[in-house]
């Protein structure tokens, strides 16, 4: 088994057969798209999973509260710099897609957001930071696959970005009158 950065998708399978080895016990199971290696050693368990599917991840754009494709239906493949192979398909945003996204952001900014109390704004910003931290592992893996950066760096970046939201959440109720 060889592990590459693109194949780090942990998945659990029911242990159907346990084999003894000098380190404890291990089990290898395979489905049509995943290979799972479970190692049981001195009371601890280690799981490694390989995604062996050839399917590309498919992403959409988030505009005005909805996941949507490009209005032109155009997409492009993004390449994994490690092996120069496509790993995902993403929408190719058109000018009208960008206009819709900007208009939705402007409407959101002029809509309920300015009417919220600073304490409520802070709560939303903290929630965004919390979600970033909760998903730091997943975001780090995606960024590693897409850019070729080291996982330990992209994982830390996802957590670090959350700190910005925490910082501005702390400022949300600090009205002092300066610019």
């Amino acid at each position: 088994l060889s592990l590459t950065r693109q194949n780090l998708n942990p998945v659990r399978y029911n242990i159907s057969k346990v084999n003894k080895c000098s380190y404890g016990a291990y089990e290898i199971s395979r489905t049509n798209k995943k290979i799972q290696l479970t190692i049981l050693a001195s009371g601890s368990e280690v799981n490694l999973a390989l995604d062996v599917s050839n399917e590309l991840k498919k992403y959409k754009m988030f505009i005005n509260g909805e996941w949507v494709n490009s209005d032109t239906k155009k997409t492009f493949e993004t390449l994994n710099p490690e092996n120069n192979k496509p790993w995902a398909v993403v929408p190719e945003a058109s000018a009208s897609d960008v206009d819709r996204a900007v208009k939705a952001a402007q409407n959101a900014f002029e809509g309920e957001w300015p009417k919220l109390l600073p304490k409520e704004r802070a709560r939303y910003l903290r929630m965004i930071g919390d979600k970033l931290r909760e998903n730091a592992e997943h975001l780090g893996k995606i960024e590693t696959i897409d850019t070729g950066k080291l996982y330990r760096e992209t994982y830390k970046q996802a957590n670090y970005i959350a700190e910005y939201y925490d910082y501005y959440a702390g400022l949300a109720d600090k009205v002092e009158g300066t610019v």
Side-chain angles (χ1 to χ4, degrees), residues 105-116:
Q106 186 68 38
N107 289 340
F109 185 73
E110 293 172 352
E112 294 300 313
W113 185 255
K115 298 173 189 169
L116 294 174

Side-chain angles (χ1 to χ4, degrees), residues 22-102:
S22 59
Y23 301 106
Y26 69 93
E27 183 253 351
I28 298 174
S29 57
R30 181 183 177 106
T31 67
N32 59 343
K33 296 182 182 178
K34 302 245 188 234
I35 297 173
Q36 175 74 26
L37 168 65
T38 302
I39 302 169
L40 304 162
S42 62
S44 61
E45 182 176 323
V46 177
N47 285 292
L48 302 174
L50 299 175
D51 185 346
V52 294
S53 70
N54 291 326
E55 294 178 28
L56 298 178
K57 305 271 187 216
K58 293 184 174 122
Y59 291 95
K60 292 185 176 188
M61 301 179 292
F62 192 72
I63 299 177
N64 201 22
E66 296 181 308
W67 291 103
V68 296
N69 292 312
S70 171
D71 64 359
T72 63
K73 306 292 186 231
K74 288 185 180 178
T75 61
F76 66 94
E77 293 178 344
T78 182
L79 301 179
N80 179 337
E82 180 182 29
N83 57 22
N84 208 31
K85 292 181 181 176
W87 74 275
V89 176
V90 295
E92 185 177 309
S94 67
S96 66
D97 291 324
V98 173
D99 288 343
R100 279 187 306 135
V102 170

Side-chain angles (χ1 to χ4, degrees), residues 148-163:
K149 286 182 166 184
L150 295 174
Y151 172 72
R152 67 175 172 258
E153 182 180 345
T154 59
Y155 174 78
K156 286 179 184 177
Q157 286 174 337
N159 278 293
Y160 185 68
I161 291 167
E163 292 178 19

